[in-house]
Amino acid sequence: MSGSALRRCRSSYSGSDGGNGIEAAQEPTAINLRDAKAPHGHVTVGPGAWTVFLGAFGAR
């Protein structure tokens, strides 16, 4: 699926005006991430990497 056609969730740090933070969209086999301030680019990671990333921040 195209990076721009995905339904995205914003991080709580992004704010409604697209401030600092990331937007994430779940695809069937990957998580698509992009900078809230630069929506034209994106990075795709596997579900395992995303789980590790979230665990690292959730442990704080």
Side-chain angles (χ1 to χ4, degrees):
M1 187 173 281
S2 162
S4 61
L6 298 170
R7 181 173 173 197
R8 298 183 177 279
C9 297
R10 283 190 176 191
S11 73
S12 59
Y13 294 99
S14 292
S16 61
D17 63 348
N20 295 329
I22 62 168
E23 298 175 340
Q26 185 172 353
E27 297 184 59
T29 60
I31 308 300
N32 186 286
L33 306 167
R34 71 181 182 187
D35 184 330
K37 288 184 176 181
H40 55 277
H42 68 272
V43 173
T44 302
V45 297
W50 184 240
T51 299
V52 170
F53 175 81
L54 292 178
F57 288 98
R60 292 180 178 192

